[in-house]
Amino acid sequence: MKKIIKFILVFIFLLSLTACAYREPNARFTVTAIGFSANGTKVTAYLQAMDFSKSEDKTFLVTGEGDSVKASVKDVNKTLSKEPSFEHCSLILLSRGIDGTGLKDALNLCQELSMSQKTRVAYADSVKSALENNTLKNGDEIASLIKENSKTFGFGKHTALFEIKTAVLVNDGNFALVNLDASNSKIKFDGLLEYKNCKAVKSLNFEESRQYAKEQLK
Protein backbone atom coordinates (compact mmCIF):
# COMPACT_ATOMS: atom_id res chain seq x y z
CA MET A 1 0.00 0.00 0.00
CA LYS A 2 2.82 2.40 0.91
CA LYS A 3 4.45 1.77 -2.49
CA ILE A 4 1.19 2.56 -4.28
CA ILE A 5 0.72 5.80 -2.31
CA LYS A 6 4.34 6.78 -3.03
CA PHE A 7 3.85 6.10 -6.75
CA ILE A 8 0.68 8.21 -6.80
CA LEU A 9 2.43 11.11 -5.05
CA VAL A 10 5.36 11.00 -7.49
CA PHE A 11 2.94 10.87 -10.42
CA ILE A 12 1.01 13.90 -9.13
CA PHE A 13 4.28 15.79 -8.61
CA LEU A 14 5.46 15.09 -12.18
CA LEU A 15 2.05 16.04 -13.53
CA SER A 16 2.20 19.35 -11.70
CA LEU A 17 5.62 20.08 -13.22
CA THR A 18 4.27 19.39 -16.70
CA ALA A 19 1.29 21.63 -16.04
CA CYS A 20 3.57 24.45 -14.90
CA ALA A 21 5.76 24.15 -18.01
CA TYR A 22 2.87 24.02 -20.46
CA ARG A 23 1.69 27.22 -22.08
CA GLU A 24 -1.13 27.77 -24.50
CA PRO A 25 0.17 28.40 -28.05
CA ASN A 26 -1.57 31.80 -28.07
CA ALA A 27 0.41 32.86 -24.98
CA ARG A 28 3.63 33.07 -27.00
CA PHE A 29 4.89 34.33 -30.33
CA THR A 30 6.31 31.44 -32.38
CA VAL A 31 9.58 32.52 -34.02
CA THR A 32 10.09 31.08 -37.51
CA ALA A 33 13.28 32.96 -38.44
CA ILE A 34 15.95 35.14 -36.89
CA GLY A 35 18.59 37.22 -38.64
CA PHE A 36 21.54 39.46 -37.87
CA SER A 37 23.42 42.20 -39.71
CA ALA A 38 26.01 44.70 -38.53
CA ASN A 39 27.27 48.14 -39.47
CA GLY A 40 30.44 48.94 -37.60
CA THR A 41 29.78 48.23 -33.93
CA LYS A 42 25.99 48.36 -34.25
CA VAL A 43 24.21 45.02 -34.65
CA THR A 44 20.64 44.70 -35.91
CA ALA A 45 18.52 41.67 -35.03
CA TYR A 46 15.50 40.67 -37.12
CA LEU A 47 12.87 38.42 -35.60
CA GLN A 48 10.12 36.94 -37.75
CA ALA A 49 7.32 35.41 -35.71
CA MET A 50 3.74 34.20 -35.90
CA ASP A 51 0.85 35.24 -33.65
CA PHE A 52 -1.61 32.35 -33.56
CA SER A 53 -4.17 34.42 -31.68
CA LYS A 54 -4.91 36.19 -34.97
CA SER A 55 -6.99 34.69 -37.76
CA GLU A 56 -5.19 36.69 -40.50
CA ASP A 57 -1.78 38.28 -41.00
CA LYS A 58 -0.23 36.01 -38.39
CA THR A 59 3.36 36.59 -39.50
CA PHE A 60 5.19 39.77 -38.54
CA LEU A 61 8.76 41.11 -38.46
CA VAL A 62 10.35 43.16 -35.68
CA THR A 63 13.88 44.53 -35.33
CA GLY A 64 16.19 45.67 -32.56
CA GLU A 65 19.65 47.22 -32.26
CA GLY A 66 22.53 46.89 -29.86
CA ASP A 67 26.29 46.72 -29.52
CA SER A 68 26.21 42.90 -29.71
CA VAL A 69 23.98 40.15 -31.06
CA LYS A 70 22.66 39.45 -27.56
CA ALA A 71 21.92 43.13 -26.91
CA SER A 72 20.11 43.45 -30.23
CA VAL A 73 17.81 40.52 -29.40
CA LYS A 74 17.10 42.01 -25.98
CA ASP A 75 16.14 45.24 -27.76
CA VAL A 76 13.69 43.27 -29.93
CA ASN A 77 12.10 41.79 -26.81
CA LYS A 78 11.29 45.30 -25.54
CA THR A 79 8.75 45.68 -28.35
CA LEU A 80 6.95 42.33 -27.85
CA SER A 81 3.74 41.87 -25.90
CA LYS A 82 4.32 38.11 -25.54
CA GLU A 83 7.33 35.90 -24.86
CA PRO A 84 8.98 34.66 -28.08
CA SER A 85 9.44 30.89 -28.43
CA PHE A 86 12.44 29.82 -30.52
CA GLU A 87 11.91 26.05 -30.36
CA HIS A 88 10.35 25.94 -33.84
CA CYS A 89 12.67 28.46 -35.50
CA SER A 90 13.53 27.08 -38.96
CA LEU A 91 16.01 29.65 -40.26
CA ILE A 92 19.00 31.70 -39.11
CA LEU A 93 20.04 34.44 -41.55
CA LEU A 94 23.45 36.07 -41.38
CA SER A 95 24.25 39.20 -43.34
CA ARG A 96 26.87 41.89 -43.85
CA GLY A 97 29.15 42.59 -40.93
CA ILE A 98 28.37 39.36 -39.06
CA ASP A 99 31.70 37.60 -39.16
CA GLY A 100 34.56 36.61 -36.90
CA THR A 101 33.61 36.91 -33.24
CA GLY A 102 30.19 38.32 -34.17
CA LEU A 103 29.37 35.21 -36.18
CA LYS A 104 30.44 32.92 -33.35
CA ASP A 105 28.36 34.96 -30.91
CA ALA A 106 25.32 34.70 -33.18
CA LEU A 107 25.59 30.91 -33.43
CA ASN A 108 26.12 30.54 -29.68
CA LEU A 109 23.14 32.77 -28.93
CA CYS A 110 20.92 30.71 -31.22
CA GLN A 111 21.90 27.63 -29.25
CA GLU A 112 21.22 29.42 -25.95
CA LEU A 113 17.74 30.30 -27.22
CA SER A 114 16.98 26.54 -27.43
CA MET A 115 16.78 26.39 -31.20
CA SER A 116 16.99 23.01 -32.86
CA GLN A 117 20.51 21.98 -33.86
CA LYS A 118 19.01 21.23 -37.29
CA THR A 119 17.92 24.84 -37.88
CA ARG A 120 19.14 26.02 -41.29
CA VAL A 121 21.80 28.75 -41.44
CA ALA A 122 21.96 30.90 -44.59
CA TYR A 123 23.22 34.25 -45.87
CA ALA A 124 21.22 37.13 -47.32
CA ASP A 125 22.53 40.53 -48.40
CA SER A 126 19.40 42.05 -46.88
CA VAL A 127 17.77 40.13 -44.05
CA LYS A 128 14.76 42.45 -44.11
CA SER A 129 14.15 41.89 -47.83
CA ALA A 130 14.57 38.13 -47.43
CA LEU A 131 11.99 37.95 -44.64
CA GLU A 132 9.54 40.34 -46.29
CA ASN A 133 9.59 38.83 -49.79
CA ASN A 134 6.35 38.41 -51.74
CA THR A 135 6.67 34.69 -52.48
CA LEU A 136 7.47 32.84 -49.23
CA LYS A 137 5.60 33.80 -46.07
CA ASN A 138 7.86 32.64 -43.25
CA GLY A 139 11.10 30.98 -42.18
CA ASP A 140 9.62 27.50 -42.54
CA GLU A 141 8.96 28.09 -46.23
CA ILE A 142 12.40 29.61 -46.83
CA ALA A 143 14.04 26.63 -45.10
CA SER A 144 12.03 24.33 -47.40
CA LEU A 145 13.26 26.34 -50.41
CA ILE A 146 16.85 25.70 -49.30
CA LYS A 147 16.20 22.00 -48.69
CA GLU A 148 14.54 21.35 -52.04
CA ASN A 149 17.09 23.32 -54.06
CA SER A 150 19.93 21.56 -52.23
CA LYS A 151 18.54 18.27 -53.52
CA THR A 152 18.16 19.63 -57.05
CA PHE A 153 21.53 21.34 -57.43
CA GLY A 154 23.71 19.21 -55.15
CA PHE A 155 25.02 21.84 -52.74
CA GLY A 156 23.87 23.61 -49.59
CA LYS A 157 22.87 20.46 -47.72
CA HIS A 158 25.27 20.69 -44.80
CA THR A 159 24.22 24.05 -43.38
CA ALA A 160 22.43 23.09 -40.17
CA LEU A 161 23.31 24.98 -37.00
CA PHE A 162 25.28 22.06 -35.54
CA GLU A 163 27.23 21.62 -38.80
CA ILE A 164 28.27 25.28 -38.98
CA LYS A 165 29.19 25.29 -35.28
CA THR A 166 31.29 22.16 -35.88
CA ALA A 167 33.06 23.86 -38.80
CA VAL A 168 33.84 26.83 -36.55
CA LEU A 169 35.28 24.57 -33.86
CA VAL A 170 37.23 21.97 -35.83
CA ASN A 171 37.64 23.34 -39.37
CA ASP A 172 39.17 26.75 -38.63
CA GLY A 173 35.86 28.47 -39.36
CA ASN A 174 35.91 27.34 -42.99
CA PHE A 175 32.46 26.56 -44.44
CA ALA A 176 29.92 27.83 -46.95
CA LEU A 177 26.36 29.09 -46.55
CA VAL A 178 23.56 29.16 -49.09
CA ASN A 179 23.38 32.67 -50.55
CA LEU A 180 19.77 33.87 -50.81
CA ASP A 181 18.96 36.54 -53.41
CA ALA A 182 16.06 38.65 -52.14
CA SER A 183 16.04 41.35 -54.81
CA ASN A 184 12.89 42.43 -56.67
CA SER A 185 10.65 41.38 -53.75
CA LYS A 186 11.34 37.72 -54.51
CA ILE A 187 13.67 35.22 -52.90
CA LYS A 188 15.70 32.54 -54.61
CA PHE A 189 18.52 30.06 -54.11
CA ASP A 190 21.68 31.70 -55.53
CA GLY A 191 24.81 29.60 -55.01
CA LEU A 192 27.07 29.51 -51.97
CA LEU A 193 28.98 32.13 -50.03
CA GLU A 194 32.35 30.76 -48.89
CA TYR A 195 33.70 31.61 -45.44
CA LYS A 196 37.27 31.29 -44.20
CA ASN A 197 38.12 31.84 -40.56
CA CYS A 198 34.46 32.84 -40.06
CA LYS A 199 34.70 35.63 -42.62
CA ALA A 200 32.89 35.77 -45.96
CA VAL A 201 35.49 35.69 -48.74
CA LYS A 202 33.83 34.69 -52.02
CA SER A 203 30.45 34.29 -53.70
CA LEU A 204 30.33 31.05 -55.71
CA ASN A 205 28.21 30.58 -58.82
CA PHE A 206 26.28 27.35 -59.32
CA GLU A 207 29.13 25.43 -60.95
CA GLU A 208 31.66 26.63 -58.36
CA SER A 209 29.17 25.74 -55.60
CA ARG A 210 28.75 22.19 -56.92
CA GLN A 211 32.53 21.81 -57.12
CA TYR A 212 32.92 23.15 -53.57
CA ALA A 213 30.37 20.62 -52.30
CA LYS A 214 32.20 17.77 -54.06
CA GLU A 215 35.53 18.85 -52.55
CA GLN A 216 34.06 18.74 -49.04
CA LEU A 217 33.11 15.07 -49.51
CA LYS A 218 36.70 13.98 -50.23
Side-chain angles (χ1 to χ4, degrees):
M1 179 62 73
K2 288 184 178 179
K3 289 184 178 180
I4 294 175
I5 293 173
K6 187 175 181 181
F7 174 79
I8 292 172
L9 290 174
V10 171
F11 177 78
I12 292 172
F13 175 72
L14 292 175
L15 191 62
S16 68
L17 288 179
T18 304
C20 291
Y22 175 76
R23 287 198 180 189
E24 290 290 336
N26 290 350
R28 292 182 173 186
F29 291 133
T30 299
V31 178
T32 65
I34 190 170
F36 300 99
S37 64
N39 184 4
T41 59
K42 183 174 289 187
V43 178
T44 302
Y46 304 80
L47 190 150
Q48 184 193 67
M50 300 182 75
D51 184 355
F52 287 102
S53 66
K54 295 183 177 181
S55 57
E56 296 181 358
D57 299 325
K58 296 179 180 179
T59 304
F60 63 94
L61 181 68
V62 286
T63 63
E65 292 185 344
D67 57 5
S68 67
V69 293
K70 187 169 286 189
S72 66
V73 171
K74 285 184 178 179
D75 193 48
V76 172
N77 290 340
K78 294 175 185 177
T79 68
L80 299 176
S81 59
K82 300 178 187 178
E83 179 185 354
S85 171
F86 294 88
E87 294 175 3
H88 301 289
C89 182
S90 300
L91 182 68
I92 300 164
L93 281 180
L94 304 180
S95 192
R96 298 175 182 179
I98 301 297
D99 53 24
T101 301
L103 186 147
K104 295 175 186 177
D105 289 344
L107 297 178
N108 289 334
L109 177 61
C110 289
Q111 185 167 337
E112 290 174 17
L113 293 172
S114 299
M115 292 185 195
S116 167
Q117 291 297 309
K118 295 182 180 179
T119 301
R120 292 275 182 173
V121 186
Y123 177 90
D125 239 8
S126 170
V127 175
K128 187 174 188 294
S129 296
L131 297 180
E132 290 187 333
N133 72 88
N134 291 333
T135 53
L136 301 177
K137 296 180 180 179
N138 55 57
D140 295 340
E141 294 185 0
I142 298 173
S144 293
L145 169 78
I146 295 172
K147 181 179 179 180
E148 291 306 311
N149 279 273
S150 295
K151 292 178 184 177
T152 301
F153 296 106
F155 61 85
K157 295 179 181 178
H158 303 293
T159 54
L161 176 57
F162 80 91
E163 291 171 308
I164 302 305
K165 282 185 64 65
T166 299
V168 170
L169 291 171
V170 303
N171 197 35
D172 298 322
N174 299 333
F175 56 88
L177 298 179
V178 170
N179 191 359
L180 295 174
D181 180 358
S183 59
N184 300 319
S185 300
K186 296 181 180 180
I187 188 166
K188 64 181 181 180
F189 193 80
D190 194 34
L192 295 175
L193 180 64
E194 185 179 3
Y195 282 75
K196 289 186 177 180
N197 195 25
C198 293
K199 294 184 179 181
V201 294
K202 185 180 180 182
S203 295
L204 307 178
N205 61 31
F206 275 59
E207 187 54 43
E208 290 171 331
S209 296
R210 278 190 286 266
Q211 187 59 40
Y212 177 92
K214 290 178 181 177
E215 290 293 329
Q216 301 312 301
L217 295 176
K218 293 181 179 179

